[in-house]
Amino acid sequence: QVSLVESGGGSVQAGGSLRLSCAASGDVFSRYVMAWFRQAPGKEREFVSVINWHGTNTDSIDSVRDRFTISRDNAKNTMYLQMNSLRVEDTAVYYCAAARREAGWTLWSSRQSRDVAYWGQGTQVTVSS
């Protein structure tokens, strides 16, 4: 079992940047496929980016692919989301997520909330015009 804690959220103007971090504890971090999700007010939680066990493969939704970069440092038990050229529509609570150890490929393939076993508490990102 792994515990996740996000940090790095805040308020920025459109065009600005933020770097989110997700610190993991409780298990060997490299055993988990990790992802970022976000939830805007009044909307369902949506997938943003996913990264495989060793950080050698990543994917993101089209709307952020050229602006956000997901990465991980297994030596530091930490995952990151570098967000550049932020837009008002990026405003949301961002959640760090991990699949069950034996179900990493499921989360990698589906990118669905139902396949997330562990969630962080979320960090607010607010982008103003």
Side-chain angles (χ1 to χ4, degrees):
Q1 183 168 324
V2 66
S3 297
L4 306 172
V5 179
E6 303 97 334
S7 62
S11 297
V12 296
Q13 289 193 323
S17 298
L18 283 173
R19 188 195 198 199
L20 305 184
S21 297
C22 171
S25 62
D27 199 352
V28 179
F29 184 56
S30 61
R31 292 177 176 173
Y32 293 85
V33 169
M34 302 292 297
W36 289 98
F37 285 74
R38 67 185 180 185
Q39 188 166 17
K43 295 187 177 181
E44 293 191 355
R45 194 170 299 189
E46 69 167 348
F47 164 78
V48 177
S49 297
V50 64
I51 188 165
N52 70 352
W53 297 265
H54 299 291
T56 54
N57 207 351
T58 65
D59 198 15
S60 300
I61 54 176
D62 288 345
S63 62
V64 309
R65 187 167 288 129
D66 294 334
R67 302 183 294 120
F68 292 7
T69 302
I70 187 172
S71 62
R72 67 191 295 165
D73 185 338
N74 288 345
K76 296 182 178 180
N77 295 336
T78 303
M79 176 178 67
Y80 305 98
L81 186 68
Q82 177 66 46
M83 305 186 295
N84 298 328
S85 302
L86 281 161
R87 303 169 180 170
V88 172
E89 54 264 37
D90 294 320
T91 295
V93 177
Y94 283 71
Y95 295 91
C96 173
R100 287 181 292 115
R101 282 169 46 181
E102 65 275 19
W105 280 117
T106 301
L107 178 60
W108 175 267
S109 300
S110 74
R111 289 93 193 270
Q112 297 293 316
S113 297
R114 66 172 183 266
D115 295 315
V116 173
Y118 308 104
W119 293 99
Q121 83 287 355
T123 186
Q124 176 70 47
V125 171
T126 302
V127 185
S128 59
S129 59

